[in-house]
Amino acid sequence: MSLTWRMFWRDFRAGELTLLIVSVVLAVTVVTSIGIFAERIRQTIFSEASSLLAADYVLSGSRAIPEEWFEFADERGLEQGQTLSFQSMLFGETSSQLGALRAVSDSFPLRGALEIADSPFVMGDEVEAGPPPGEIWLTSRLFPLLNVEVGDYIGVGATELRVGAALIREPDSSTGVFNVQPRALMNLADLPATQAVQPGSRVTYRWLLAGDATQITELREQIGDAIEPHYRWRSARRANENISGALDRAESFLLLAGSLAVVLAGVALAMSAQRYAGRHVETVALLKTLGYPPSRIIRLYGVGLLGLSVVGIAIGLMLGEAIHRVIIALLGDLLPANLAMHGWQAYGLGALTGFVSLMGFAWPPFYRLRDVPPVRVIRSDVYQQPKLLWQLWGTLGVLVIVYLYSGDAMLTLAMVVGGAFCIWGASMFARALLWVMRRFGSRFGRNWRLGLASLQRHSQQNGLQVVIFSIALMLLFTLTLIRTSLLSEWEQQLPEGAPNHFVYNVFEEDLPIVDEWLNQYAENESPAYPLTRGRLIEARGVDIDTLTEDLPDRSDFVRELNMTWSPEYGSDNVIVAGEWWQDYGQGDLLVSVEERFATALGVQVGDRMVYSVGGLDIEATVASLRSLDWESFNPNFYMIFNQPLQDGAGATYLVSFFLSNDNKVALNTLLRQVPTLSVIEVDALIEQIQGIIAQVTLAIEFILVLVLASGLLVLVAGIQSSLDTRFRESAVLRTMGASASLVRGTLWVEFGALGALAGVLGAAGTEAILFYLQGNVFGMETRWHPLLWLIAPLSGVALIGTVGVLSTSKVIRTPPMRVLRSWV
């Protein structure tokens, strides 16, 4: 212990340990700060997403929730609430209106908040609970329809309730979207007095749950298959198709960013550890001449590395916490006010990263120091450090950490494949390209000759640096391009003027009135789609119950579907198999089926499908399969037919459009002209989704900055590992009369060439990783990036050249005599 302390303290004062400690601190700091920040943002995003359900999980169905299920939840300490949704007439003094009522328990909502006001069509204040008994809250449009004000009484079934407030916004306004307009909210305790719910009434029961995910999972397992076929689970992540994709991609990105930070930190540590171990070969040889056995040398460096890991991890954890707080302070109002707290996992992962990285990269070369022969004291050629062992051992350690961080084996595998490609490419091409540069670049002057000669002379070392630089560039390019693709897709998902209202229950004779109103007040209206309800009962000659008995989401196939017929398909539909019909309304009945729906049932073009529509069985031939963008707010359908079903009898029409807030009141004009219409307002939902996506975007921007910063530090660590050689070469050149400008130009050529080669290999590795990530992790369109092959080499030259020259400026400033004396 005493010798270890003296030796490591001497190295620390001499600056020998500086790079190694900084690398450990860097690894722990980067992983901890990104882990804490990403975890808080992720938990905040998911908390916001929970407001789309007003809970973490919801069980909804057409039957009342069994009482024993409530007891199961109480036993696990879960928060719970209930809502009942149904339609009923609401009666004012002079008018009446069919409304969608929800009776809610006192605990509603479990997540999010309600927004109410003293008058309609104004900004409201947030409240954490629903109406008390005896009150009813009405959405703004109901006030002019019923000709009432706050404080008046309205009739609901067999009782009267006082209008307590204008309901401006509900946290789960997207739930049951085709049955919630215009809406009213009442207390569950008032429901029996209304007598509005009778046997045979169409009621939707919802059981709201919030709490620990493990306890909810246990509850779901205890209930088991008893929910079939009358109930359906929904999670906050799956509250809406439009936001689930964004959340999945955001989480994948955060995991990817954190994983890349782990790899970058490990690379920096690997280079500094190898340099430190190499500088101790002579020390170990000297110790052996003094009689130290190999076992004592192992203990000597093992205890020292353990002490370094404790110090580095402690400093890194504190810096990680401090940096994450600085980031939050700098962001200020850009972050949500209710930013979620983080757990201990980020600290544990940071500590594990420091320990595994240090032992994985530093311990193997130090362990092999026991094999250094004593004769190394006088002969430098009798022992060379083994490189393959520490590379493989350290890489394995980093990959284990990446897997523990991401929990995604495929994501880890993709990074392994991309990194292996860079290593393989460097080993195959680096020396060849360096030789080509040396052969043809020498014609351009002394700087080029000296710089490229240095590359050729140290081709083995430079080959390793090319691998390191190319991996760093590959990770940075991957993160940047994934970020760009995600933001681009989210912007396309919710463009300006996206439909925020839907009108349905439009009869054919009312279409002219609706069209006239749309032309006056609305924008971006869709065609009027005819709607009819039907159920698929047979496909490919097999009944639907048999086809879906093994499907996990069976209820999606056996339920009634909204179906339409049209001469054209939507702008966000793509024909992936078969052909669209040319002659609309003629010939046999044809159907175009959504691709995933058809794939789950094994349906292909040319198969026959049988539907039950209005009590009659209708047979159609599959003419095409379509992929749909379910994340858009355009009307989309699983089934589109080439002609009206049952001659269009009983069909109503659906129209979507964008309506600005200034024209909101105009909806009442339309409803007075056509009282049978139903209007769906999704603008509040769009606002929620846009807010969540804005938070995700902000998290991506700042995590990208952190990873870019760690990438630059990796480059500095790589350059610092070769400073000894560069000091000697510079001293020789300066002694022979070379000027400082010549040495500087030589460094520019050397690092610029390294950067160009690393950029080419990094671009190749980036394309390989992106090809997998875009198609299999983020669910995006896979495509090549030709511009990357131009930007990557230029970025490598600019980035590595600049950082390399700045990091080696000490080589130029140090007097040659000082270097030569220390060398001798």
Side-chain angles (χ1 to χ4, degrees), residues 183-249:
R183 306 183 308 279
L185 207 64
M186 59 182 290
N187 194 284
L188 190 60
D190 294 325
L191 183 61
T194 66
Q195 301 180 20
V197 175
Q198 298 294 330
S201 297
R202 186 173 181 178
V203 181
T204 299
Y205 298 85
R206 299 176 69 241
W207 183 26
L208 283 62
L209 294 166
D212 184 74
T214 302
Q215 296 174 329
I216 293 179
T217 301
E218 293 175 356
L219 175 65
R220 293 183 62 176
E221 292 175 351
Q222 183 174 7
I223 295 174
D225 296 334
I227 68 170
E228 294 290 346
H230 305 290
Y231 304 97
R232 182 180 181 183
W233 283 108
R234 299 179 72 195
S235 67
R237 295 175 61 97
R238 301 298 172 190
N240 185 278
E241 286 289 340
N242 305 84
I243 196 59
S244 62
L247 289 176
D248 288 340
R249 292 170 183 169

Side-chain angles (χ1 to χ4, degrees), residues 280-511:
H280 271 253
V281 171
E282 284 78 10
T283 301
V284 172
L286 181 61
L287 290 174
K288 282 197 170 184
T289 63
L290 298 176
Y292 275 69
S295 59
R296 189 173 181 185
I297 290 176
I298 292 174
R299 292 197 301 270
L300 176 69
Y301 285 97
V303 171
L305 287 177
L306 184 61
L308 282 179
S309 66
V310 172
V311 174
I313 288 171
I315 297 174
L317 291 178
M318 291 186 291
L319 286 177
E321 172 69 24
I323 289 176
H324 125 266
R325 291 185 178 275
V326 169
I327 293 172
I328 293 177
L330 291 176
L331 293 181
D333 296 335
L334 296 177
L335 290 176
N338 56 336
L339 194 63
M341 292 303 298
H342 58 278
W344 59 267
Q345 290 86 351
Y347 301 107
L349 184 64
L352 182 64
T353 299
F355 181 78
V356 173
S357 298
L358 186 64
M359 292 303 175
F361 285 109
W363 177 241
F366 278 120
Y367 182 79
R368 292 300 301 270
L369 287 177
R370 68 174 187 170
D371 298 330
V372 174
V375 73
R376 174 63 190 241
V377 174
I378 59 176
R379 291 185 58 189
S380 61
D381 60 335
V382 298
Y383 176 82
Q384 296 294 329
Q385 276 192 289
K387 293 182 172 57
L388 182 61
L389 176 64
W390 72 263
Q391 290 172 353
L392 293 179
W393 187 262
T395 301
L396 178 62
V398 169
L399 291 179
V400 169
I401 296 176
V402 170
Y403 176 73
L404 292 176
Y405 183 87
S406 66
D408 190 333
M410 296 305 296
L411 180 62
T412 305
L413 179 63
M415 297 181 64
V416 172
V417 172
F421 185 88
C422 278
I423 295 173
W424 175 82
S427 63
M428 293 295 292
F429 299 116
R431 295 189 184 183
L433 291 177
L434 290 173
W435 180 85
V436 171
M437 291 179 181
R438 172 74 176 90
R439 177 75 177 271
F440 297 100
S442 59
R443 305 174 183 175
F444 300 111
R446 291 183 303 168
N447 289 340
W448 282 89
R449 286 199 302 271
L450 290 173
L452 296 177
S454 177
L455 286 176
Q456 182 67 22
R457 187 170 58 254
H458 304 290
S459 58
Q460 183 175 1
Q461 180 184 3
N462 288 332
L464 176 61
Q465 286 190 332
V466 167
V467 172
I468 294 169
F469 293 156
S470 61
I471 290 177
L473 291 176
M474 176 193 71
L475 299 181
L476 298 179
F477 288 141
T478 298
L479 200 59
T480 302
L481 289 175
I482 284 292
R483 167 259 187 196
T484 303
S485 298
L486 285 180
L487 299 187
S488 175
E489 284 216 354
W490 288 338
E491 288 174 358
Q492 294 174 10
Q493 176 183 325
L494 292 175
E496 289 294 330
N500 60 0
H501 289 75
F502 292 79
V503 171
Y504 68 106
N505 281 345
V506 182
F507 293 98
E508 189 169 3
E509 57 269 23
D510 296 324
L511 281 176

Side-chain angles (χ1 to χ4, degrees), residues 469 712-724 726-727 747-748 751 799-814:
F469 293 156
L712 291 176
L713 290 173
V714 167
L715 297 182
V716 173
I719 294 166
Q720 292 290 319
S721 66
S722 63
L723 275 183
D724 294 338
R726 300 186 187 282
F727 271 119
L747 292 174
W748 270 110
F751 285 115
L799 184 63
I800 296 176
T802 303
V803 175
V805 172
L806 292 177
S807 300
T808 55
S809 59
K810 186 179 179 181
V811 171
I812 304 173
R813 297 195 309 267
T814 303

Side-chain angles (χ1 to χ4, degrees), residues 154-197:
I154 63 171
V156 183
T159 190
E160 287 190 345
L161 298 174
R162 178 181 174 274
V163 179
L167 182 60
I168 306 301
R169 182 175 61 85
E170 301 165 77
D172 57 343
S173 58
S174 63
T175 303
V177 72
F178 277 90
N179 295 299
V180 298
Q181 300 295 338
R183 306 183 308 279
L185 207 64
M186 59 182 290
N187 194 284
L188 190 60
D190 294 325
L191 183 61
T194 66
Q195 301 180 20
V197 175

Side-chain angles (χ1 to χ4, degrees), residues 746-763:
T746 300
L747 292 174
W748 270 110
V749 171
E750 181 178 357
F751 285 115
L754 283 176
L757 180 55
V760 171
L761 294 174

Side-chain angles (χ1 to χ4, degrees), residues 484-560:
T484 303
S485 298
L486 285 180
L487 299 187
S488 175
E489 284 216 354
W490 288 338
E491 288 174 358
Q492 294 174 10
Q493 176 183 325
L494 292 175
E496 289 294 330
N500 60 0
H501 289 75
F502 292 79
V503 171
Y504 68 106
N505 281 345
V506 182
F507 293 98
E508 189 169 3
E509 57 269 23
D510 296 324
L511 281 176
I513 300 176
V514 174
D515 288 338
E516 182 181 356
W517 183 90
L518 290 174
N519 291 333
Q520 184 175 356
Y521 297 104
E523 303 174 25
N524 297 338
E525 61 268 18
S526 71
Y529 288 97
L531 285 182
T532 191
R533 302 281 288 178
R535 188 188 302 273
L536 177 65
I537 60 175
E538 183 181 311
R540 301 187 290 112
V542 184
D543 68 272
I544 191 64
D545 290 331
T546 302
L547 283 173
T548 60
E549 59 183 356
D550 296 326
L551 296 179
D553 49 355
R554 180 177 179 273
S555 59
D556 290 339
F557 300 90
V558 299
R559 62 184 175 89
E560 280 195 336

